[in-house]
Amino acid sequence: QVQVVESGGGLVQPGRSLKLSCAASGRTFSSHASGWFRQAPGKEREFVAGVTGGAGITYYAESVKGRFTISRDNAKNTVYLQMNSLKPEDTAVYYCAASQWVYGNLFRETFYESWGQGTQVTVSS
């Protein structure tokens, strides 16, 4: 059974940075795709960033491109989301997701079958 656990959320001022972590058991991130999604109050969950297994090709939502970076530490079997220049509109619960596939449509929720419980990120002065 695959378990995914996020950590690193919190309250941060606009313009500051935050780094989220996602650890998995029962799934090797280096050979399977993973992604980050977020859900703001009153809105649907949306794709933020994804990374394929193997070569580690990355994908980003337009709203975070240039500010967020997804990365992977194979030795720790952990995926990270480095968030810079945070804006109030980045406030949301952030979810990590793991896929059984190496690559595919990383933008879609249905591509992933294991999800974490989410971690709250609040950007406010």
Side-chain angles (χ1 to χ4, degrees), residues 1-4 23-29 32 77 98-99 113-114:
Q1 184 177 356
V2 179
Q3 290 189 327
V4 178
S25 59
R27 175 66 45 80
T28 304
F29 277 142
H32 297 87
N77 200 33
S99 174
E113 86 289 347
S114 299

Side-chain angles (χ1 to χ4, degrees), residues 98-116:
S99 174
Q100 62 179 314
W101 308 107
V102 177
Y103 60 88
N105 192 339
L106 276 72
F107 297 88
R108 298 192 61 164
E109 291 186 45
T110 53
F111 178 71
Y112 307 89
E113 86 289 347
S114 299
W115 293 79

Side-chain angles (χ1 to χ4, degrees), residues 6-11 18-21 83 119-121:
E6 308 98 335
S7 61
L11 172 64
L18 203 61
K19 187 174 185 178
L20 305 182
S21 300
M83 305 183 293
T119 185
Q120 176 70 46
V121 172

Side-chain angles (χ1 to χ4, degrees), residues 44-111:
E44 293 186 353
R45 189 157 58 182
E46 64 176 2
F47 172 81
V48 175
V51 57
T52 67
I57 300 170
T58 58
Y59 300 87
Y60 297 93
E62 284 297 323
S63 59
V64 306
K65 200 172 289 185
R67 300 188 298 124
F68 290 12
T69 302
I70 187 170
S71 62
R72 195 176 66 200
D73 185 328
N74 294 339
K76 296 182 178 180
N77 200 33
T78 300
V79 173
Y80 302 98
L81 184 68
Q82 176 67 47
M83 305 183 293
N84 298 331
S85 302
L86 281 162
K87 305 175 181 180
E89 51 263 44
D90 294 318
T91 296
V93 177
Y94 283 71
Y95 297 91
C96 179
S99 174
Q100 62 179 314
W101 308 107
V102 177
Y103 60 88
N105 192 339
L106 276 72
F107 297 88
R108 298 192 61 164
E109 291 186 45
T110 53
F111 178 71

